[in-house]
Amino acid sequence: MRIHFSDKVNQLDEMIDPYRERNGIYYHVREDAPEEIKQAEKEWKRLSAEEYNKAMGFIT
């Protein structure tokens, strides 16, 4: 199943992408990223999880 995220989630993803760093199979924002990017990542995680759960039927 493919999930289509909202424009907001996609915009946040594009904003934080240049600051991502891989750690094994996981990604995180670099420590030296601006505070704005760190906050954007938190919002991205929250919104993307919410939209994923809704799409999968975990939230009605």
Side-chain angles (χ1 to χ4, degrees):
M1 174 183 210
R2 183 176 170 101
I3 298 172
H4 295 279
F5 289 104
S6 67
D7 289 342
K8 178 68 175 176
V9 170
N10 291 330
Q11 288 170 349
L12 289 168
D13 186 57
E14 288 178 16
M15 187 172 150
I16 63 177
D17 191 50
Y19 297 94
R20 282 193 179 118
E21 193 169 72
R22 190 173 187 158
N23 183 9
I25 62 170
Y26 301 104
Y27 288 91
H28 65 276
V29 169
R30 296 189 326 250
E31 288 294 321
D32 64 343
E35 189 60 33
E36 174 184 322
I37 299 300
K38 292 176 182 179
Q39 293 303 316
E41 181 194 32
K42 288 179 185 178
E43 181 72 359
W44 173 81
K45 284 181 178 181
R46 184 186 70 75
L47 287 173
S48 61
E50 183 179 292
E51 291 181 18
Y52 173 83
N53 289 334
K54 187 173 182 179
M56 297 303 289
F58 300 139
I59 300 173
T60 54

